[in-house]
Amino acid sequence: MNGPQVNGRRPKAHIVTLGCQMNVRDSQTLAGMLQRMGYGFADRVEDADLVLFNTCSVRENPERKIYGQVAALQALKQRRPGMLIGICGCMPQQRPELERMRKELPHVDLILGTFNLHRFPDLLQQVVETGRPVVEVWHDEGEIVEGLPVLREPGSVTAFVSIIYGCDYRCTFCVVPNTRGRQRSRRPEAIEQEVRELVAQGVREVTLLGQTANAYGRDLPQEHLSLARLLERLSAIDGLERIRFTSNHPREMTEDLIEAMARLPKVAEHVHLAVQSGSDRMLHRMGRRYTADEFVALVERMRQAIPELSVTTDIIVGFPGETDADFRATLDLVRTVRFDGAFTFVYSPRPGTAALKLPDPVPEPVKRERIQELIAVQNAISLERNLAYRDRTVEVLVEGQSERSAQRLSGRTRTNKVVVFDAPAEERHALIGRLVPIVIEDVNTWTLFGRLAASQDPASLVAGAGGQAR
Ligand code: SF4
């Protein structure tokens, strides 16, 4: 396909990505398709011939901001005829948002949804050829389209690989089943092929992505297809060092999967397990289908099977009807489980969700107070757990230069802790992509700091040290 030309030169695109890792991965596909069409890329909106917003609907604020950001481009577009603006992702997938976009953002040239992402090149070509806006949003999931090009960060040693699209749960606060549809698992052969190609390009660690990654395979026709079997299959790939998967629903964390995590050396000792609340009353209202006691028992079973396991979570405060006692139950659960980290959110009402109709909204000041208290409690626990790493030697996959300092490198432990460390200037480049032993000398709430261990003998490694952190 011939891409558009701008003043006789190769046009440049700029992609704005909001939201979760699934959107990050979708933006890599959009970038791959643009590259194949002949586009280059611009770091700044001002230098781009095409600006594409890959949107998120999970929270209200970012959604509101998109309207402002896209409206602000109108003046730039008037000064630069030929500039194109596109919107994709979860927002257009909701009918009221789509209607609002068409009304309030008439200068947008292309709108598409999550189910027809693969149609992007054809739709963009249509815009270029006709000079008219194109809107195409499917409301049925359709088949998974394999083989789309992907443009990842060059030289990256880690990569996201989608294994499931959509979600079959109907948590009452969540917009995802509306915007991403029912659960559809990719075929295991297609996933394996993608991972093999990534390894051939230098990737050492993959993170398997899905809204409920641990429900993988349930929708596929063959029996015995599960995340445990997929982990076994991917473990056989030479050159792949580590496998992670996220996000996970507690109800889908089967004994079979826990056993596979414990048995397979390439599966990292980290699980992201969204708890959302410590109050059974709230969990019931959220439609989560487990109790706080069941969650605590599950983490306990996992830690017995995988002693180094680190556990992170998502928590919502201020869900409709949440009393002070409900909130205290969440704090109690956090103190009992002692998560390594938590993503904490103030409840955000979302259109099209069941929670929107629930009575007893929690006043904003109360929500803000509660989230501050929760963050303080969790941060203290995260720091304590990180302190248990001090003076230990951990295996780190070196990902690249530290964002804060060109003199240092950064990577992650098997337990998904970020490690920043000093290394001699002449060795830095060669260390990227390698597993190295690092002695942890200092920590804060979010990061471990250290130096290369004198001995590079793998026997000197303590794989995670999370077991001692409990
Ligand atoms: S499990 Fe619940 S919170 Fe997670 S994506 Fe599905 S509906 Fe949303």
Side-chain angles (χ1 to χ4, degrees), residues 3 8 32 53 57 78 110 113 129 143 159 190 207 258 264 268 298 347 349 361 367 374 384 428 442 456:
F53 292 86
S57 290
Q78 274 162 2
L110 172 60
E129 282 172 8
E143 296 292 307
T207 301
I258 298 171
L264 298 168
L298 169 63
Y347 169 69
K367 285 184 188 171
L374 174 62
E384 282 170 21
R428 273 181 223 138
D442 198 7
Q456 301 254 336

Side-chain angles (χ1 to χ4, degrees), residues 160-226:
F160 292 141
V161 175
S162 298
I163 60 168
I164 289 191
Y165 301 101
C167 176
D168 281 351
Y169 281 84
R170 283 259 157 201
C171 301
T172 57
F173 53 84
C174 183
V175 77
V176 164
N178 302 343
T179 61
R180 295 268 173 180
R182 292 190 69 81
Q183 171 175 323
R184 283 110 59 222
S185 299
R186 287 178 70 198
R187 307 268 330 137
E189 313 81 74
I191 298 169
E192 182 184 335
Q193 187 187 333
E194 182 174 343
V195 175
R196 283 191 184 280
E197 285 166 11
L198 287 168
V199 170
Q201 291 159 20
V203 165
R204 294 286 165 263
E205 174 184 304
V206 291
T207 301
L208 310 178
L209 294 182
Q211 305 294 346
T212 49
N214 57 345
Y216 175 78
R218 203 169 8 80
D219 54 306
L220 289 172
Q222 294 93 332
E223 284 179 16
H224 310 307
L225 267 182
S226 63

Side-chain angles (χ1 to χ4, degrees), residues 66-86:
I66 282 288
Y67 285 95
Q69 283 181 38
V70 178
L73 287 184
Q74 194 159 16
L76 185 63
K77 193 172 155 85
Q78 274 162 2
R79 288 200 303 276
R80 297 181 53 193
M83 176 185 174
L84 299 177
I85 301 173

